[in-house]
Amino acid sequence: MSSFTDAHCHLDFDSFAADREAVFERARDEGIGRFIVPGTRRSRLEAVLALKRFAGVSTCLGLHPYFLDEHDDEADLAVLEQALTSRSVVGLGECGVDARLDDLPRQWRLFDAQLKLARRLELPVVVHCVQLNDEVGKRLKQLALPARGLIHAFSGSLQQAQRFIELGYLLGIGGAVTHDRARKLKRVVAELPADSFVLETDAPDMAPQGVSGRNEPACMSRVIAEVARLRGVSRETLAATTSANAECLFRLEN
Ligand SMILES: [Zn+2]
């Protein structure tokens, strides 16, 4: 029996400090046995890496555009490079650009520096991309990163999805697909090739429909049910294909 992989969850965040063990236990009860925890900022670097003491956890490190106020760009990039080369990680991220946030030129500079680092270190990249799919797709094509990456929390058209897939990137499908209003995304998810996507929660954010407050990996059961329904596949098939996709991208041992 295959287990599911939550390909993107921020389990280092303080909102899990009080009950982290229970969070992992509830996830396992729902058949989720693997967790990819991305980094967000320099001050959380050790907290992210420390999660590897939990079974099934793999980690990435990166500088997320939400935390521009906290980043000291040049210094933090140097620390990031040092950590990526000396510590055990499976990817670079979370990094990216978000049209809803301020200072897009600075976001792009920071993102670009991390993409080039991922290219140099041959690491897969975990991309946060909001309302900039065409621009990001163009940049990823230019840079041709050898280990490619994950477009986490993908939201966009089928055409934009196909462009990322053609470049060899996986799409992350999470809580957004469970919402009744997400008609376009539901259509895209129904059409995606089986080897092109992974499942994720983005916990503690991006709660699925019916979950109020904190999101956690166990809530991925709602994403699993909806994606299986949309694609007309069994839970078992979905577990096998999406976990294999995550294993392949992040070079996890199975
Ligand atoms: Zn995230």
Side-chain angles (χ1 to χ4, degrees), residues 126-200:
V126 176
V127 177
H128 171 102
C129 170
V130 175
Q131 294 163 19
L132 291 162
N133 285 326
D134 293 335
E135 294 81 350
V136 167
K138 197 171 146 199
R139 191 66 187 126
L140 292 177
K141 186 171 185 180
Q142 287 167 341
L143 287 172
L145 308 188
R148 304 190 184 82
L150 167 64
I151 309 297
H152 124 77
F154 174 76
S155 172
S157 65
L158 186 59
Q159 194 190 15
Q160 288 169 333
Q162 280 161 344
R163 196 164 323 135
F164 286 128
I165 294 164
E166 276 164 28
L167 295 172
Y169 284 74
L170 292 178
L171 307 178
I173 304 300
V177 77
T178 63
H179 292 271
D180 291 335
R181 63 176 184 272
R183 288 199 204 88
K184 187 173 86 174
L185 183 58
K186 286 178 197 289
R187 278 200 301 274
V188 171
V189 168
E191 298 284 317
L192 291 175
D195 61 356
S196 71
F197 69 97
V198 293
L199 303 178
E200 59 167 61

Side-chain angles (χ1 to χ4, degrees), residues 8 10 38 64 94 152 202:
H8 190 100
H10 297 280
H64 192 301
E94 175 171 4
H152 124 77
D202 204 17

Side-chain angles (χ1 to χ4, degrees), residues 3-4 7 14 26 29 34 36 56 58 72 77 93 130 141 184 197 211:
S3 75
F4 284 94
D14 286 343
R26 284 193 291 272
D29 287 347
R34 230 170 204 172
I36 312 284
S58 302
D72 177 351
L77 283 166
V130 175
K141 186 171 185 180
K184 187 173 86 174
F197 69 97
V211 175

Side-chain angles (χ1 to χ4, degrees), residues 10 12-13 38-42 44 62-64 67 71 93-94:
H10 297 280
D12 63 302
F13 281 14
T40 52
R41 53 218 194 268
R42 180 178 177 175
R44 302 300 300 172
L63 302 169
H64 192 301
F67 303 100
H71 302 325
E94 175 171 4

